[in-house]
Amino acid sequence: GGAPVRLRIEEPMPQSRDERIRLAFRHQPEPAEKDTTKWVWIMDVPARQTQSIETGVELSAPADMIIDFGWRH
């Protein structure tokens, strides 16, 4: 048994700090809400079940531009 749980997941939208960099996003599932700073998913998750959210980012920039993703190694 057990009741489903309603979740609200908010994720900040990646921001480009240079207008020459273009970002395109792909989501599965699509967010229920979007604005210029965040994505919001609202999901009902059945008891003892899992849900996944996948987000892809496609980046395009000039070939001579050095990109620092800021990831820790």
Side-chain angles (χ1 to χ4, degrees):
V5 176
R6 173 157 283 190
L7 296 177
R8 177 183 175 94
I9 298 102
E10 295 189 10
E11 183 70 20
M13 181 183 295
Q15 303 291 319
S16 168
R17 293 196 173 101
D18 189 309
E19 69 277 356
R20 296 171 296 166
I21 299 173
R22 300 277 180 239
L23 301 176
F25 306 105
R26 173 186 47 78
H27 306 286
Q28 184 60 39
E30 282 293 315
E33 303 169 21
K34 296 180 189 179
D35 64 27
T36 58
T37 62
K38 71 179 180 300
W39 301 308
V40 179
W41 289 266
I42 298 170
M43 308 178 103
D44 291 314
V45 181
R48 290 185 284 286
Q49 299 290 316
T50 61
Q51 291 276 29
S52 295
I53 297 171
E54 294 182 21
T55 297
V57 180
E58 183 178 300
L59 179 149
S60 59
D64 61 346
M65 182 179 242
I66 297 171
I67 304 293
D68 178 0
F69 293 100
W71 295 331
R72 295 183 182 150
H73 299 285

